[in-house]
Amino acid sequence: MEANGEQYAANFSSIKEAQKRISLYIHKTPVLSSETLNAMSGRSLFFKCECFQKGCPLILYFKTSGNHAAALSLAAKLRGIPAYIVIPKNAPKCKVENVVRYGGQVIWSEATMHSRESVASKVLEETGAVLVHPYNDGRIISGQGTISLEFLEQVPLLDTIIVPISGGGLISGVALAAKSIKPAIRILAAEPIGANDAAQSKAAGRIITLLETNTVADGLRAFLGDLTWPIVRDLVDDVITVEDKEIIEAMKLCYEILKVAVEPSGAIGLAAVLSDGFRKNPAWQDSKKIGIVLSGGNVDLGVLWDSFRK
Amino acid sequence: MEANGEQYAANFSSIKEAQKRISLYIHKTPVLSSETLNAMSGRSLFFKCECFQKGCPLILYFKTSGNHAAALSLAAKLRGIPAYIVIPKNAPKCKVENVVRYGGQVIWSEATMHSRESVASKVLEETGAVLVHPYNDGRIISGQGTISLEFLEQVPLLDTIIVPISGGGLISGVALAAKSIKPAIRILAAEPIGANDAAQSKAAGRIITLLETNTVADGLRAFLGDLTWPIVRDLVDDVITVEDKEIIEAMKLCYEILKVAVEPSGAIGLAAVLSDGFRKNPAWQDSKKIGIVLSGGNVDLGVLWDSFRK
């Protein structure tokens, strides 16, 4: 697929190829719905539970969101090669534990993107390792695009899909595949106000990065990359930004009504669809059958509880 | 199906009939698995997520566990008739809220079974209402039996199913259907030590009720009824009892690894399969492919957190 004469890092063929490669190893993730949440939102909502994706290394490698570090650790372990995982000091404890559990070697960086990248460069230099970027990589984008293939097969009538946006890998794959199958489908990004680089980038027409981020959704603090930005620019129809308190409220609803244990990042799609900004915007009144990708799989119960008490 | 010349309150025909009746209204609940939990248990585990069952009144009426009160409230509301729900004073807040949300009229009783029954009798007398017992009812047992029909279609190779036991409705339905389809399948009940009336009843060969119960799994405090006991006596192969701390640990694993938000009662099957009592018992070494019913759907986040801190 091309736009502005530019070739994207992934396309419908690479996504179908990814699906073929991983289909032996995965089951479809279920789609859940709830009359209560439909009534609250005034739409028909369909939740694609990517958070249940199984712990197979091939899947985790190519169809992951929020588990990149653990996934690579496991994939490397099974191949008998070392994995060096650069982790910022403010990462949730459970993410670090998962890396260690799967045999990855933790290399600490400061919390800034700059520190993460310079530490990663140093590791590459010293070890001869190859960088596998968590989102700015055509293979990752293609794998995540398989979510749309499944989702539209399970719920063909979707007119809109809402996807959390961070570095843009997940939404790029979802948008590429969904718009290939169903060109008129609307793809909306959900982003925390405290890490709204995608909203700012879309408004400016170029990649904007932020000096700092401030959100409870730790999985959504990354910035768009040079491979994901063109896809987000061209294929994502708009970005809905939400407050942290809306994310926490949506996370509670996921637990109490859907019975799905998501991290804050995973619940942001529900937060978006329930937000006044979305509900009252005339532009989105015709989004009636909305798919919401529940991503992410690092539930840190300590942090969870702290956030519920805020 | 008969045993000891006795006709049970439900049978394979009534279960298939229930399935036909509810099949228009429900989707199959998914089955999840986890390599991590397989490794921890030394078996292949398949989790039937009944906790995701949708909020349709017909389903809730006939295929519910843990939601009986809310289900009846909703069913009655949709038919325009009143529902009087007798609730013990120590019931979790979220269960009461669900009843109110669905339009049920809450009638308080003390926490004992005796008080619950005498208050219910009084309501029946005063209002002319009909009692729908939460488990000691052939229609409820039949509806819950449909879980086995689905489960064995999804995972035909199961050699064992572990089911939480409280009043015995859920496990009666599951056992009747599973053993009709696959007579050699093993049906095990999972029960808290602090509410082990089923284990005691099986040992004594007659219904034993307890003076008091003491367990975090509030959904498992009821006692076997005269309709469920004969089925449990004849078709449940054994009862595995577990400590509250094992239930809490299993609930954490459900959240952190399966990403499923269960209440303590729902997690007890996993607790059982991970318990030393189960793992080291020679009688169960040949249970290799184990289905676990994750039941229950009342996640009270406050209680949840309190229990995690114990």
Side-chain angles (χ1 to χ4, degrees):
Chain A
M1 189 181 289
E2 294 184 19
N4 305 334
E6 182 177 19
Q7 183 85 32
Y8 298 139
N11 55 42
F12 196 43
S13 302
S14 69
I15 292 166
K16 284 188 293 187
E17 176 61 32
Q19 190 183 43
K20 208 179 299 172
R21 198 171 46 225
I22 65 184
S23 63
L24 287 175
Y25 304 94
I26 63 171
H27 293 300
K28 269 184 201 160
T29 55
V31 174
L32 298 178
S33 60
S34 152
E35 292 304 323
T36 305
L37 295 178
N38 289 350
M40 287 175 69
S41 65
R43 329 275 173 132
S44 296
L45 306 181
F46 301 88
F47 296 89
K48 178 71 169 159
C49 297
E50 280 306 305
C51 46
F52 297 153
Q53 196 51 268
K54 288 172 66 175
C56 161
L58 278 175
I59 312 153
L60 287 173
Y61 193 108
F62 289 107
K63 189 185 175 192
T64 177
S65 51
N67 288 309
H68 186 71
L72 283 187
S73 301
L74 182 54
K77 185 184 177 187
L78 291 178
R79 291 192 179 195
I81 56 178
Y84 307 98
I85 312 292
V86 177
I87 301 184
K89 283 180 178 165
N90 64 343
K93 199 172 149 227
C94 60
K95 291 197 180 181
V96 181
E97 287 170 352
N98 280 336
V99 167
V100 174
R101 177 185 299 160
Y102 292 133
Q105 298 182 32
V106 175
I107 317 265
W108 295 103
S109 77
E110 298 302 320
T112 63
M113 281 308 286
H114 177 73
S115 169
R116 295 169 73 164
E117 285 173 5
S118 77
V119 170
S121 299
K122 199 159 159 252
V123 172
L124 296 183
E125 214 170 273
E126 289 174 2
T127 63
V130 171
L131 182 70
V132 182
H133 197 278
Y135 54 85
N136 204 42
D137 183 312
R139 295 166 295 178
I140 298 292
I141 295 170
S142 299
Q144 293 180 328
T146 64
I147 293 169
S148 283
L149 304 185
E150 275 187 23
F151 205 176
L152 284 168
E153 190 188 308
Q154 290 167 309
V155 193
L157 291 172
L158 291 180
D159 56 44
T160 302
I161 302 178
I162 300 183
V163 189
I165 194 164
S166 182
L170 177 63
I171 199 169
S172 289
V174 168
L176 279 168
K179 294 210 168 180
S180 297
I181 297 167
K182 202 166 175 174
I185 201 165
R186 179 173 291 158
I187 305 291
L188 298 174
E191 187 172 52
I193 283 181
N196 68 345
D197 65 297
Q200 291 195 35
S201 300
K202 290 280 284 183
R206 62 185 172 83
I207 298 188
I208 305 278
T209 55
L210 309 175
L211 287 177
E212 56 179 349
T213 59
N214 178 18
T215 173
V216 67
D218 68 277
L220 303 180
R221 292 177 190 148
F223 303 137
L224 295 170
D226 63 327
L227 300 181
T228 54
W229 160 244
I231 307 173
V232 170
R233 179 192 62 207
D234 299 341
L235 300 184
V236 172
D237 293 282
D238 214 333
V239 181
I240 306 163
T241 52
V242 294
E243 307 270 4
D244 272 12
K245 66 175 185 219
E246 295 172 305
I247 296 174
I248 296 301
E249 189 51 41
M251 188 165 63
K252 278 190 197 176
L253 293 171
C254 286
Y255 276 69
E256 296 189 340
I257 295 181
L258 289 181
K259 322 298 178 197
V260 176
V262 290
E263 61 179 326
S265 310
I268 194 172
L270 177 59
V273 86
L274 293 175
S275 68
D276 275 354
F278 177 80
R279 299 187 61 186
K280 297 184 178 166
N281 189 325
W284 297 320
Q285 292 307 310
D286 58 343
S287 283
K288 299 288 191 194
K289 295 182 191 302
I290 302 180
I292 295 177
V293 178
L294 292 183
S295 66
N298 291 285
V299 181
D300 188 321
L301 290 167
V303 171
L304 172 71
W305 184 251
D306 288 345
S307 64
F308 280 173
R309 290 199 302 198
K310 276 177 190 165
Chain B
M1 189 180 289
E2 293 184 21
N4 305 334
E6 182 176 19
Q7 182 87 31
Y8 298 138
N11 55 41
F12 196 42
S13 302
S14 68
I15 293 166
K16 284 187 294 187
E17 177 60 32
Q19 191 183 41
K20 207 180 298 172
R21 197 171 47 225
I22 65 183
S23 64
L24 286 174
Y25 304 94
I26 63 169
H27 294 299
K28 269 183 203 162
T29 55
V31 174
L32 298 178
S33 60
S34 152
E35 293 302 323
T36 305
L37 295 178
N38 288 351
M40 286 176 69
S41 65
R43 329 275 173 133
S44 296
L45 305 181
F46 301 89
F47 296 89
K48 178 71 169 158
C49 296
E50 280 306 305
C51 46
F52 297 153
Q53 195 52 268
K54 288 173 68 175
C56 161
L58 277 175
I59 311 152
L60 287 173
Y61 193 109
F62 288 108
K63 190 186 174 192
T64 176
S65 50
N67 288 309
H68 186 73
L72 284 187
S73 301
L74 181 54
K77 185 183 179 189
L78 291 178
R79 292 191 179 196
I81 56 178
Y84 307 98
I85 312 291
V86 177
I87 300 184
K89 283 179 178 165
N90 64 343
K93 199 172 150 226
C94 59
K95 292 196 180 180
V96 181
E97 287 170 352
N98 279 336
V99 166
V100 173
R101 177 184 299 160
Y102 292 132
Q105 298 182 33
V106 175
I107 318 263
W108 295 103
S109 77
E110 299 301 321
T112 62
M113 282 308 287
H114 177 74
S115 169
R116 296 167 74 165
E117 284 174 4
S118 77
V119 170
S121 299
K122 198 159 160 252
V123 173
L124 295 183
E125 213 169 274
E126 289 174 0
T127 63
V130 171
L131 181 69
V132 183
H133 198 276
Y135 54 86
N136 205 40
D137 183 311
R139 295 165 296 177
I140 298 292
I141 295 170
S142 297
Q144 294 181 328
T146 65
I147 294 170
S148 284
L149 305 184
E150 276 187 22
F151 205 177
L152 284 169
E153 189 187 309
Q154 291 167 308
V155 192
L157 291 172
L158 292 180
D159 56 43
T160 301
I161 302 179
I162 300 183
V163 189
I165 194 163
S166 183
L170 177 63
I171 199 169
S172 289
V174 168
L176 278 168
K179 295 209 169 181
S180 298
I181 296 167
K182 203 168 174 173
I185 202 165
R186 179 172 292 158
I187 304 292
L188 298 174
E191 187 173 53
I193 282 182
N196 67 345
D197 65 297
Q200 290 194 35
S201 299
K202 290 280 284 183
R206 62 186 172 83
I207 298 187
I208 305 278
T209 55
L210 309 175
L211 287 176
E212 56 180 349
T213 59
N214 178 19
T215 173
V216 67
D218 69 278
L220 302 180
R221 292 176 191 148
F223 304 137
L224 295 170
D226 64 326
L227 300 181
T228 55
W229 160 244
I231 306 173
V232 170
R233 177 193 64 205
D234 299 341
L235 300 184
V236 172
D237 293 282
D238 215 333
V239 181
I240 307 164
T241 51
V242 294
E243 305 270 5
D244 273 12
K245 66 176 186 221
E246 295 173 305
I247 296 174
I248 296 302
E249 188 52 40
M251 188 165 63
K252 278 190 195 173
L253 293 171
C254 286
Y255 277 69
E256 297 190 340
I257 294 181
L258 288 180
K259 322 297 178 199
V260 175
V262 289
E263 60 178 324
S265 310
I268 195 173
L270 177 58
V273 85
L274 293 176
S275 68
D276 275 354
F278 178 78
R279 299 187 62 187
K280 297 185 178 165
N281 190 324
W284 297 321
Q285 291 308 310
D286 58 342
S287 282
K288 299 287 190 193
K289 296 184 190 303
I290 302 179
I292 295 177
V293 178
L294 292 182
S295 65
N298 291 283
V299 182
D300 188 321
L301 290 166
V303 171
L304 172 71
W305 184 251
D306 288 344
S307 64
F308 280 172
R309 290 200 301 200
K310 277 177 190 164

